């Protein structure tokens, strides 16, 4: 049965106006009894579906139905601070019915603190009988700070009790042991005994916040990023997701798709109606132009989500070069310790050595690889061949490739040059063409600093390539001249950046900033404010995959249309199957619903457990 069967009951006036629902503000349509003009009940096309034999709306199957916590649900508690010895430990209790009873059992005879005011109390071990008077022998913590937060404006949407106690392991254990004894077990006529209060499951506080509309799913994932952040850029990335801007944007896209689907399904009933001034093909093309703009937006968000993953998981940087060119020495200088073995013997590094550091707020994972050399395969051992194979693979998979070369000095004619092996050049060119992520670093500048100005030589290397002079671009990776020998020499300990390592790292930071900056598409009618698009960097891998799936459904919708530019979209009536097109929009809207947690119940439950446990 078609979901829009109710449309046959719309008045004639609304039939002629229905095609404009996509591009104009949608009024609340009114259901008119045929022949009477009597308004029975208002409805909104995007949120209510009607059956022709009913006068009451059916539940929208795309909306998430929240199972709110009730007075009969278990009260939960958990240690909210890190386990171990500390000055303060916080135990949080959340529930609707029993938080006050727990307080009265732990602090007998003392009034409940005023909401959101810290109050000093003595915590007692709950007596086995309510008639017992607490004694000094039953004190758990003589100086605990108590805070009470009444529902619904709390972290979980329920009544919350926080116990700030001394952080000794014995005190924390005693408090956690005492709380379950504050309440008896509740029995049901059918079923086993169920505790009224229990220790919270992993992520259960966050789950209740979601179920009570205190947090949406994108905010919850951003909360996980906040807890896992170790660098400044990771912290900024997590902050962008806490504003719910992404959830509002995805929800608005979903609503647009629902409007579009309703307009297409209206054509199923009205395609032969004489009251329509435009052909179904033209109306479908109007919808397609809006879907095309939405598809461009999803593409940009997918690209930015990938860039955000670099900030979240770390930027992979591969050191690539010939044997004994100084890759291991450079790695040790960057990380500030002996992470890789350094030797004058060529081919010391055989396997990939990976070290992660915080580089100017960016989490970077540097990989020292085996040197690539040319020559007969028979002269190379199996271990070295395997190391070279892994080095090539790591370079192709890296986010940034640092191509390390060395200068070839010619002191007799005050000249120098830079050589590169053919195999290394081929690999670097391939990586550059795929990702535009290659940075050239020339080592052993100490061999030429006596007769060549290093700054002038570096500028010469940046101003020329194999095709002649090139225009400077500060956002692109530069060729940097360094000296690992000078940087590690104690004679230059008092010299500011003797080996030019910090100079090279400065350009590396610019490259990290370039590959993690948001892409701002030029779409007519869309905001170009950088701060708006920076929010899209906070999209997680789960959200990116759902956006990708949504994009595939939008592409399926656009297949029959002839797209020429941003505005001109045409289609032959015989090429469009309205039913199939509407189904593509329904599937795309469901993908967006899964992102925000407003999809069908089964869809949401697939992701809730994984997200909350993080």
């Amino acid at each position: 049965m078609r979901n829009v069967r109710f449309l046959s009951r719309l008045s004639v006036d609304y039939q002629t106006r229905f095609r404009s629902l996509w591009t104009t503000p949608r009024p609340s349509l009114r259901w008119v009894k045929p022949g009477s003009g009597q308004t029975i009940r208002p409805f909104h096309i995007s949120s209510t579906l009607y059956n022709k034999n009913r006068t009451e709306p059916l539940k929208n199957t795309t909306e998430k139905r929240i199972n709110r916590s009730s007075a009969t649900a278990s009260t939960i508690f958990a240690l909210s601070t890190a386990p171990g010895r500390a000055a303060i430990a916080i135990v949080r209790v959340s529930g609707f019915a029993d938080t006050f009873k727990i307080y009265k059992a732990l602090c007998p005879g003392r009034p409940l603190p005023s909401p959101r005011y810290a109050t000093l109390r003595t915590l007692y071990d709950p007596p086995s009988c309510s008639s017992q008077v607490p004694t000094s022998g039953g004190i758990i913590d003589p100086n605990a700070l108590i805070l009470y937060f009444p529902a619904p404006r709390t972290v979980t949407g329920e009544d919350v009790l926080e116990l700030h106690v001394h952080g000794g392991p014995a005190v924390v254990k005693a408090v956690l042991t005492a709380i379950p004894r504050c309440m008896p077990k509740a029995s049901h006529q059918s079923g086993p005994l169920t505790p009224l209060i229990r220790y919270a499951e992993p992520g259960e506080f966050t789950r209740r916040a979601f179920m009570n509309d205190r947090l949406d799913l994108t905010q919850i994932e951003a909360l996980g990023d906040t807890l896992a952040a170790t660098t400044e850029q990771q912290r900024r990335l997590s902050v962008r997701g806490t504003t719910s801007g992404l959830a509002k944007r995805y929800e608005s896209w979903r609503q647009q798709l629902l409007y579009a689907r309703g307009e297409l399904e209206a054509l199923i009933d009205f395609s032969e109606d004489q009251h329509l001034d435009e052909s179904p093909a033209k109306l479908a093309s109007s919808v397609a132009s809006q879907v095309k703009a939405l598809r461009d937006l999803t593409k940009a968000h997918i690209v930015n989500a990938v860039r955000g993953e670099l900030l979240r998981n770390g930027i992979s940087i591969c050191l690539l070069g010939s044997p004994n060119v100084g890759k291991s020495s450079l790695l040790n200088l960057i990380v500030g310790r002996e992470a890789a073995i350094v030797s004058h013997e060529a081919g010391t590094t055989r396997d990939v050595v990976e070290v992660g550091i915080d580089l100017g707020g960016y989490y970077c994972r540097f990989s020292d690889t085996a040197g690539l050399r040319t020559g007969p395969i028979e002269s190379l051992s199996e271990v070295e061949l395997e190391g070279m194979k892994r080095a090539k693979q790591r370079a192709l998979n890296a986010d940034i490739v640092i191509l390390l070369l060395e200068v070839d000095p010619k002191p007799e004619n005050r000249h120098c040059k830079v050589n590169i092996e053919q195999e290394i050049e081929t690999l670097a060119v391939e990586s550059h063409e795929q990702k535009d992520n290659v940075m050239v670093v020339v080592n052993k500048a100490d061999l030429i600093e006596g007769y060549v100005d290093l700054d002038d030589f570096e500028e010469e290397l940046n101003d020329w390539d194999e095709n002649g002079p090139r225009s400077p671009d500060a956002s692109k990776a530069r060729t940097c001249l360094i000296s690992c020998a000078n940087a590690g020499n104690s004679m230059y300990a008092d010299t500011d950046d003797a080996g030019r390592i910090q100079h090279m790292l400065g350009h590396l930071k610019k490259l990290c900033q370039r590959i993690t900056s948001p892409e701002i598409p030029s779409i007519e009618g869309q905001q170009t404010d950088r701060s708006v698009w920076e929010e899209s960097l906070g999209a997680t891998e789960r959200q990116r995959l759902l956006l990708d799936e949504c994009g595939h459904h939008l592409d399926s919708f656009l297949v029959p249309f002839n797209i020429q530019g941003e505005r001109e979209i045409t289609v032959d009536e015989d090429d469009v199957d309205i039913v199939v097109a509407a189904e593509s929009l329904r599937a795309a809207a469901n993908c967006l619903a899964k992102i925000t947690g407003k999809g069908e119940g089964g869809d949401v439950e697939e992701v809730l457990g994984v997200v909350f446990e993080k």
Side-chain angles (χ1 to χ4, degrees):
M1 181 183 297
R2 291 192 295 270
N3 291 331
V4 292
R5 180 73 71 177
F6 67 92
L7 290 173
S8 61
R9 302 188 179 207
L10 292 176
S11 66
V12 175
D13 291 338
Y14 277 113
Q15 292 178 22
T16 59
R17 293 176 55 192
F18 196 82
R19 64 179 181 276
S20 65
L21 284 177
W22 174 257
T23 56
T24 60
R26 282 75 180 172
S28 293
L29 305 182
R30 295 184 179 276
W31 191 14
V32 180
K33 186 176 181 179
S36 67
Q38 179 184 0
T39 299
I40 297 179
R41 94 181 262 117
F43 69 94
H44 196 283
I45 188 170
S46 68
S47 60
T48 311
L49 302 177
Y50 278 78
N51 184 290
K52 68 176 184 179
N53 297 321
R54 293 174 60 95
T55 58
E56 292 297 325
L58 298 174
K59 290 184 178 180
N60 184 352
T61 56
T62 62
E63 293 291 339
K64 174 174 71 71
R65 297 303 175 191
I66 300 175
N67 295 320
R68 295 183 181 275
S69 300
S70 64
T72 58
S74 297
T75 299
I76 58 174
F77 70 98
L79 178 65
S80 295
T81 49
R85 190 185 306 275
I88 299 294
I90 301 176
V91 177
R92 178 177 290 172
V93 183
S94 178
F96 273 120
D98 301 323
T99 51
F100 179 71
K101 296 177 182 178
I102 293 171
Y103 170 79
K104 295 298 292 182
L106 294 176
C107 305
R110 301 304 301 272
L112 186 69
S114 300
R116 294 176 173 81
Y117 278 86
T119 306
L120 192 65
R121 290 286 189 266
T122 297
L123 297 185
Y124 292 89
D125 192 25
S128 58
C129 178
S130 59
S131 62
Q132 291 181 355
V133 178
T135 62
S136 59
I139 294 178
I140 298 177
D141 192 333
N143 296 292
L145 209 59
I146 309 298
L147 288 98
Y148 170 65
F149 303 92
R153 297 177 58 187
T154 65
V155 64
T156 61
E158 305 170 337
D159 291 337
V160 173
L161 187 68
E162 285 191 358
L163 311 177
H164 296 234
V165 300
H166 290 91
V171 176
V172 174
K173 182 179 179 180
V175 172
L176 295 178
T177 303
I179 290 177
R181 299 207 308 269
C182 294
M183 297 295 299
K185 291 185 177 181
S187 60
H188 297 279
Q189 294 181 355
S190 60
L193 295 178
T194 302
L196 290 176
I197 181 169
R198 57 179 174 79
Y199 201 84
E201 298 175 358
E204 190 169 3
F205 282 93
T206 310
R207 177 185 287 270
R208 294 195 176 193
F210 172 76
M211 292 301 179
N212 293 322
D213 279 342
R214 298 302 297 169
L215 294 174
D216 59 53
L217 211 52
T218 58
Q219 289 177 306
I220 290 170
E221 290 178 300
L223 175 61
D225 291 340
T226 301
L227 299 177
T230 58
T231 68
E232 177 63 16
Q233 292 298 329
Q234 290 175 339
R235 183 194 65 80
R236 294 183 181 181
L237 182 70
S238 64
V239 169
R240 297 185 185 112
T242 59
T243 60
S244 74
L246 276 178
K248 292 178 181 178
R249 186 166 292 106
Y250 296 150
E251 179 61 17
S252 69
W253 292 356
R254 188 178 75 92
Q255 293 295 333
Q256 291 176 27
L257 291 176
L258 290 177
Y259 292 140
R261 179 188 169 195
E263 189 164 350
L264 286 178
E265 292 184 341
L267 296 178
I268 300 174
D269 283 359
F270 302 149
S271 59
E272 298 179 359
D273 198 296
Q274 298 300 322
H275 295 285
L276 290 177
D277 299 330
E278 298 174 337
S279 65
K282 190 170 183 179
L283 292 175
S285 298
S286 176
V287 173
S289 64
Q290 305 297 326
V291 173
K292 171 63 168 57
L294 185 58
R295 176 60 177 129
D296 293 338
L297 289 175
T298 59
K299 287 181 179 178
H301 272 248
I302 291 172
V303 171
N304 291 339
V306 173
R307 297 187 176 191
E309 284 297 313
L310 299 181
L311 296 174
R312 185 178 292 107
N313 299 328
I315 302 172
S316 175
I317 303 177
C318 177
L319 302 179
L320 183 68
S322 303
N324 211 25
V325 76
K327 299 186 297 300
S328 298
S329 298
L330 178 59
L331 177 67
N332 293 340
L333 290 171
I334 291 175
V335 303
R337 60 184 178 87
E338 296 294 326
I341 299 175
V342 177
S343 172
H344 292 291
E345 180 182 349
T348 302
T349 303
R350 301 295 181 92
D351 203 355
V352 178
V353 179
E354 184 173 285
V355 183
I357 66 167
D358 182 349
L359 181 63
Y362 297 92
Y363 179 62
C364 298
R365 295 179 286 110
F366 286 87
S367 298
D368 181 20
T369 61
L372 304 182
R373 67 172 83 191
T374 57
I377 298 180
E378 296 78 10
S379 62
L380 304 177
S381 65
E382 292 184 4
V383 176
E384 189 169 1
L385 287 173
E386 179 63 26
M388 293 172 60
K389 178 182 177 181
R390 295 186 182 187
K392 295 176 184 178
Q393 190 63 41
R394 181 60 64 97
L396 293 176
N397 294 335
D399 302 313
I400 295 177
V401 175
I402 296 181
L403 178 58
L404 199 60
L405 308 175
E406 61 181 351
V407 294
D408 184 10
K410 302 293 182 182
E412 62 276 3
N413 55 5
R414 304 181 65 82
H415 180 69
C416 60
K417 62 179 181 178
V418 178
N419 297 323
I420 181 173
E421 296 284 351
Q422 180 63 39
E423 186 174 7
I424 298 176
E425 181 182 8
T426 302
L427 186 61
V429 170
E430 181 180 357
S431 181
H432 175 74
E433 291 177 348
Q434 291 181 359
K435 302 181 180 179
D436 188 20
N437 63 344
V438 178
M439 177 179 180
V440 180
V441 176
V442 181
N443 190 22
K444 303 185 180 180
D446 53 288
L447 301 179
I448 61 172
E449 62 181 350
Y451 58 91
V452 174
D453 186 276
L454 299 184
D455 291 329
D456 292 343
F457 182 57
E458 182 177 283
E459 288 299 323
E460 184 179 350
L461 292 173
N462 281 285
D463 292 339
W464 288 80
D465 58 19
E466 66 276 7
N467 298 319
R470 61 186 178 187
S471 58
D473 187 349
S475 66
K476 299 292 184 180
R478 289 173 54 92
T479 298
C480 296
L481 198 61
I482 67 169
S483 173
C484 293
N486 286 353
N489 195 331
S490 59
M491 293 177 57
Y492 299 97
D494 297 333
T495 305
D496 185 23
D497 197 16
R500 303 168 64 90
I501 302 298
Q502 296 303 318
H503 168 73
M504 182 270 295
L505 292 178
H507 290 295
L508 181 58
K509 293 175 190 176
K510 293 180 181 178
L511 181 55
C512 292
Q513 181 180 5
R514 177 169 68 86
I515 67 174
T516 57
S517 296
E519 180 179 286
I520 305 178
S522 56
I523 303 176
E524 184 177 357
Q526 296 298 324
Q527 297 184 10
T528 57
D529 185 4
R530 182 182 179 87
S531 62
V532 174
W533 287 98
E534 282 181 342
E535 288 183 350
S536 61
L537 294 173
T540 63
E541 178 72 5
R542 182 190 70 86
Q543 297 168 18
R544 183 187 67 80
L545 292 176
L546 288 171
L547 284 176
D548 196 38
E549 184 180 349
C550 173
H552 288 314
H553 292 302
L554 296 181
D555 288 336
S556 298
F557 171 86
L558 294 171
V559 166
F561 297 90
N562 300 318
I563 301 176
Q564 301 173 359
E566 294 291 333
R567 293 176 176 270
E568 188 176 354
I569 299 180
T570 60
V571 66
D572 190 341
E573 278 191 47
D574 298 333
D575 294 338
V576 180
D577 188 329
I578 300 298
V579 176
V580 174
E583 177 62 21
S584 296
L585 296 185
R586 184 199 66 80
N590 281 347
C591 291
L592 296 175
K594 291 180 183 180
I595 295 179
T596 59
K598 295 184 178 180
E600 299 178 3
D603 296 334
V604 176
E605 289 300 327
E606 292 177 1
V607 299
L608 290 188
V610 176
V611 171
F612 295 144
E613 287 180 6
K614 291 182 179 179

